Amino acid sequence: TAELNWQPHTLLEVKAFDLISNIGRIAGDIQMRGKENIVGGVSFQLTDLAPLSEITTLDLAGQVGGEIHFEGSTFSCRALGKNLKVNQFLSTRADFDATQMNILNPTSGTLKITSDEAYFRDIHFYTFNYDMGWNTHDWDYRLNATGDWKGPFNVATNGRLSFSPFKLTCQSLSGQVLGKEITLHSEASFEIGQDNFQLENWDLSIGEGRFSIHSHLNKESAALQMQASHFPLDFLTLYTARLSLRGSTTLDVDLEGTPETLEGHFNVILEHADIVPAGSTSPIQTKGSLQAHVGNSTLQLHSHLVATDEQFSEISLTVPLRFSLNPFHITFPENDPISGQCTIV
């Protein structure tokens, strides 16, 4: 039901409307005098989000209720979700609070998201708080979370976001994951556009180790500089349950590319590693190194590995390769000869 008052090009007023369906209810009063002059409010209660999955690309479930208030060219929204499911994200309770959002210009206002117990894949969140606000140039963000991901974790970060192209500037990052303290030492950024990718100044302490990466990729050039000392190997298996790693490694990578050439080196020292396959309690203890040099359309590689019970392997290879920036690809020609030797004891 509703009362409608329409004056062409001047006024659209909908009073006391009340829409009821099998998934919920929407009610309120709205008065519109042009696109930037809207007054009124709407309350909504969606008791079952699952049917909306059929008209969206999302897998939805749960209940959401809240209010939207319009005042001129801005609106505010407060909503509460219970037993929410959005694809692989699950939350027992989540609060959404948006204020001073501009109806015609989405780059304005503030957004706050607070969640109690939640899950994303194998990550269990105890608490989750995210704030974002427009600062006339970018979105400022702040995130705090605690939970369990192969052990208790906590993380706190803040910075800026922009979207044309997408760029994240991280001003601070700290926390603890897998029992190791993580600290970002300087402002860092990540940018990706249609023809550009860039990582700048990512320099992190992770437990007793250190990791840094700088990289860019565009149509004219590419570069990757990455260094790590005493980097904890268990971070490499956060996304898999098939095996676990314990130990540390040292890494030195320096690669540079032009439209048709790639040159540089890739060196890894496996200081110590315990590899534990899923379902096993006896680790495979290993150490070794990998050295690779790229130049003149050739990859030269040498590696050696020592494992439990004095098992030993050594491999040396010379492999032709082809490199292109636009489109980006690295290939190994099938018909070109490969030379090398391999020793396994």
Side-chain angles (χ1 to χ4, degrees):
T1 61
E3 297 179 18
L4 178 64
N5 180 12
W6 181 40
Q7 301 176 20
H9 310 295
T10 304
L11 174 67
L12 173 61
E13 188 174 28
V14 184
K15 290 184 177 180
F17 69 86
D18 194 356
L19 305 177
I20 301 174
S21 74
N22 62 330
I23 65 171
R25 184 174 187 172
I26 301 176
D29 299 273
I30 294 180
Q31 183 184 90
M32 299 179 60
R33 296 182 181 273
K35 294 180 180 179
E36 298 187 42
N37 189 357
I38 303 176
V39 178
V42 175
S43 63
F44 57 91
Q45 182 69 43
L46 303 178
T47 56
D48 184 7
L49 297 179
L52 298 179
S53 301
E54 299 178 4
I55 58 174
T56 69
T57 59
L58 302 174
D59 181 13
L60 300 172
Q63 305 89 40
V64 174
E67 297 179 338
I68 303 174
H69 294 281
F70 298 92
E71 186 173 351
S73 62
T74 65
F75 71 93
S76 300
C77 176
R78 179 71 187 271
L80 170 65
K82 292 184 178 180
N83 301 318
L84 287 178
K85 177 184 179 183
V86 181
N87 292 339
Q88 298 184 62
F89 178 80
L90 306 173
S91 175
T92 56
R93 175 190 170 102
D95 287 283
F96 304 88
D97 192 356
T99 60
Q100 295 299 308
M101 306 295 287
N102 192 288
I103 296 171
L104 299 180
N105 179 15
T107 56
S108 65
T110 63
L111 173 67
K112 296 181 179 180
I113 302 174
T114 303
S115 176
D116 293 339
E117 191 173 30
Y119 297 84
F120 179 72
R121 295 182 179 177
D122 57 347
I123 305 174
H124 179 189
F125 292 98
Y126 302 148
T127 61
F128 182 91
N129 297 280
Y130 179 76
D131 298 348
M132 189 166 71
W134 179 247
N135 66 11
T136 72
H137 296 288
D138 303 293
W139 288 93
D140 292 326
Y141 77 87
R142 184 178 300 275
L143 168 67
N144 293 275
T146 64
D148 188 276
W149 190 17
K150 293 192 173 182
F153 78 86
N154 64 81
V155 64
T157 180
N158 71 278
R160 302 186 304 274
L161 288 169
S162 55
F163 296 95
S164 297
F166 177 83
K167 182 176 182 180
L168 179 149
T169 301
C170 184
Q171 297 172 316
S172 72
L173 171 64
S174 62
Q176 188 177 72
V177 179
L178 297 178
K180 298 173 178 64
E181 297 290 337
I182 298 177
T183 304
L184 180 68
H185 291 279
S186 61
E187 184 173 286
S189 66
F190 164 72
E191 181 176 351
I192 187 168
Q194 184 175 359
D195 300 310
N196 179 65
F197 170 83
Q198 189 163 298
L199 292 168
E200 284 191 345
N201 300 323
W202 290 92
D203 185 7
L204 294 147
S205 289
I206 304 175
E208 297 180 356
R210 192 81 175 247
F211 174 81
S212 66
I213 182 170
H214 311 272
S215 179
H216 78 266
L217 173 66
N218 54 48
K219 291 183 177 181
E220 289 75 36
S221 65
L224 172 63
Q225 288 86 40
M226 185 163 50
Q227 287 80 38
S229 60
H230 310 301
F231 181 82
L233 292 175
D234 36 359
F235 274 76
L236 301 180
T237 58
L238 275 173
Y239 289 98
T240 178
R242 295 181 179 179
L243 60 86
S244 63
L245 282 173
R246 295 189 297 269
S248 61
T249 186
T250 294
L251 176 69
D252 177 28
V253 179
D254 191 348
L255 297 170
E256 293 189 5
T258 63
E260 296 182 353
T261 64
L262 179 66
E263 296 184 348
H265 65 265
F266 183 104
N267 299 324
V268 180
I269 298 175
L270 190 61
E271 300 169 351
H272 171 76
D274 289 343
I275 304 172
V276 185
S280 174
T281 58
S282 300
I284 302 171
Q285 297 180 336
T286 62
K287 61 180 179 179
S289 67
L290 170 67
Q291 296 175 316
H293 181 269
V294 182
N296 298 319
S297 299
T298 301
L299 168 65
Q300 295 177 314
L301 183 147
H302 178 78
S303 72
H304 81 271
L305 187 68
V306 179
T308 303
D309 298 328
E310 298 184 355
Q311 298 178 75
F312 173 83
S313 70
E314 187 169 12
I315 300 173
S316 295
L317 290 174
T318 300
V319 183
L321 64 79
R322 299 290 182 268
F323 175 78
S324 172
L325 269 180
N326 188 27
F328 178 83
H329 66 261
I330 299 175
T331 58
F332 301 96
E334 294 182 0
N335 299 323
D336 289 3
I338 297 175
S339 61
Q341 63 181 25
C342 176
T343 303
I344 299 176
V345 178

